[in-house]
Each structure stands twice: as structure tokens, then as C-alpha cells.
Amino acid sequence: MAEPHSRAMSAGLDILLVEDNQALAANIIDYLESRGHRLHFAADGPAGLRAALETPVDVVVLDIALPRMDGLALCEQLRAQADRRVPVLMLTARDTLDDKLAGFASGADDYLTKPFALAELAARVEVLSGRGSLGADYTLAIGDLVIDRRARTATRAGTPLRLTPIPWQMLLLLAEAYPAALPRSELSRRIWGEEPPSSDSLRSNMHLLRQVLDRPFAAPMLETVHGVGYRLVVAA
């Protein structure tokens, strides 16, 4: 595999793949390298964590069912030990909402259920790399809203925001998209995958987020963009 290069030298990404299925790993590596990316590989949890901490990569593609340390534990350790935030895309055969929430709770940024098309994997990786959190600090500040992506906490005007997992993930996605609006379809896909529940689930969880983020404060931050989706705004 190629040695790491700087982003300035090439448009490709440095991607760490942590996957114990050798045949699947080979297919992923061949496909992503054919798109100009540089692949680094580990076949178990401890090796993957070492590589993620020691190799300057742009995105980690991480299987959940790994030997010696599963992907959830690996992601938690990466978030606790790394000095910069690297986007993590989790691969798994598990497709229940509880599994997805466990992945997000461990610090994952996106979730792809097996089997998947290699073209979709590449698209997800490339979107993650351009989301604005690439190599960023763990703290994200928008007006008086402060999000700590490592601790998975948020405050507004110094007041802790007590959010359940789905509204928390919605807030994080909206904050990373700021100041742009996030389409309803993209928000739903990022939370629930390709088979989301009814639109009422999105609305009800957005209502919960609004109750915590906006109701106690003078100026609302969560704005509905009619015909598009949602965005965060800061009062002038």
C-alpha cells in the first residue's frame, strides 16, 4: 500500500481500513485505491487503534465485529486518546436502531450496513472528509452554543443541554453543517440509515431538540428551512 502523502500533494485521502474479513478488505482497498485514495490497513482492534493514533489519516473505516477489541471500543478509545478528530465510518452487519445509536455513542460519524455497494462506501468516505470536522479540534462553537465532540456534551450560554441520543446526533450533524441547511432526507439517512422510520420520528425528535436547545433561551437557534430541512442560526 501507498505511504502517506500530504493532502496538498494529491487530491486523494489517506484512509485507514480496520476489517478482519480479508476478502472484503481486499475489495475495498482495490476500489478506493482505484479512486486515487491511499489505504492503510489493520485486521484487528488493537492494531487498528495503534494505526489510527500513529498514522495521520483523513478517515477511518471501521468494522464493528473485530477480534481482540470490537469497533465500538476502538472508536471510544480513539476519541479518548487522539489529539485531533478523525471522522469514523462504521461497517457492520447489525442494522437495528439500538446498534446504530451504540455506534454514534462510541463516537462514530456515519454507519454503513453490510452488504453495501463499494460506490456508496466511497461516497460516504468522501462526504465525511469534507464535512468540516477533518482534523478539527474536538470543541465546536457556534454563537453561545459549545459542543465537545469528545465528551459528547453541549452547553448554551454555559447551561448544559441534556439531550437523549437521537437529538444529540441531530444537533451534532446540524452544527457540523453550519451555516448550511441540512436536508431532511440527509438528516434522516445519517440517523437511521437507508430504511428510516416515518417522518413523524424526525419531527418528534426535532421537537425534543428544539425544547432543549431553544425553549429556555431568548433567541432560537434551530430554524426550519421550508422545503429543505433544518439549520442552526445565530442572532445578530
Side-chain angles (χ1 to χ4, degrees), residues 1-2 22 27 30-31 33 39 92 112 119 127 140 197 223 231:
M1 291 172 207
Q22 297 289 328
N27 287 338
D30 287 347
Y31 186 82
E33 287 187 338
L39 270 292
T92 181
L112 189 56
V127 166
L140 181 62
E223 180 178 88
R231 68 181 174 191

Side-chain angles (χ1 to χ4, degrees), residues 93-156:
R94 308 170 188 174
D95 61 358
T96 69
L97 177 58
D98 285 345
D99 291 326
K100 293 174 184 178
L101 292 178
F104 290 136
S106 72
D109 297 278
D110 201 355
Y111 199 105
L112 189 56
T113 303
K114 298 176 182 178
F116 51 82
L118 291 172
E120 182 179 3
L121 171 64
R124 298 276 191 100
V125 164
E126 289 158 9
V127 166
L128 279 178
S129 74
R131 183 173 290 161
S133 61
L134 187 62
D137 186 82
Y138 280 96
T139 301
L140 181 62
I142 300 170
D144 61 0
L145 172 67
V146 179
I147 296 173
D148 186 328
R149 290 180 282 203
R150 171 179 280 172
R152 297 185 68 80
T153 59
T155 62
R156 184 169 179 195

Side-chain angles (χ1 to χ4, degrees), residues 22-215:
Q22 297 289 328
L24 176 59
N27 287 338
I28 291 172
I29 290 168
D30 287 347
Y31 186 82
L32 293 178
E33 287 187 338
S34 76
R35 294 177 65 89
H37 302 307
R38 298 171 294 279
L39 270 292
H40 312 269
F41 173 69
D44 64 44
L49 179 59
R50 285 195 302 273
L53 292 171
E54 296 171 3
T55 307
V57 296
D58 300 312
V59 180
V60 176
V61 178
L62 174 62
D63 187 29
I64 285 186
L66 292 168
R68 302 178 61 204
M69 176 193 292
D70 69 21
L72 297 175
L74 192 161
C75 194
E76 289 175 353
Q77 288 296 312
L78 176 62
R79 294 299 183 226
Q81 297 180 44
D83 59 3
R84 68 184 188 110
R85 183 175 178 85
V86 179
V88 173
L89 170 62
M90 281 196 168
L91 306 178
T92 181
R94 308 170 188 174
D95 61 358
T96 69
L97 177 58
D98 285 345
D99 291 326
K100 293 174 184 178
L101 292 178
F104 290 136
S106 72
D109 297 278
D110 201 355
Y111 199 105
L112 189 56
T113 303
K114 298 176 182 178
F116 51 82
L118 291 172
E120 182 179 3
L121 171 64
R124 298 276 191 100
V125 164
E126 289 158 9
V127 166
L128 279 178
S129 74
R131 183 173 290 161
S133 61
L134 187 62
D137 186 82
Y138 280 96
T139 301
L140 181 62
I142 300 170
D144 61 0
L145 172 67
V146 179
I147 296 173
D148 186 328
R149 290 180 282 203
R150 171 179 280 172
R152 297 185 68 80
T153 59
T155 62
R156 184 169 179 195
T159 301
L161 303 181
R162 303 189 183 281
L163 294 164
T164 52
I166 292 179
W168 157 261
Q169 190 66 20
M170 288 179 166
L171 177 61
L172 181 59
L173 291 170
L174 289 166
E176 290 181 341
Y178 176 82
L182 196 59
R184 288 183 179 86
S185 58
E186 174 65 9
L187 187 58
S188 180
R189 184 194 68 76
R190 292 282 294 107
I191 299 293
W192 291 288
E194 300 304 325
E195 296 183 4
S198 68
S199 59
D200 288 342
S201 295
L202 181 63
R203 284 196 295 269
S204 62
N205 280 285
M206 196 59 69
H207 174 73
L208 292 174
L209 174 57
R210 199 183 301 271
Q211 292 295 103
V212 176
L213 178 65
D214 285 347
R215 188 172 181 180

Side-chain angles (χ1 to χ4, degrees), residues 4-12 14 38:
H5 292 77
S6 71
R7 293 290 297 277
M9 293 172 61
S10 169
D14 283 293
R38 298 171 294 279

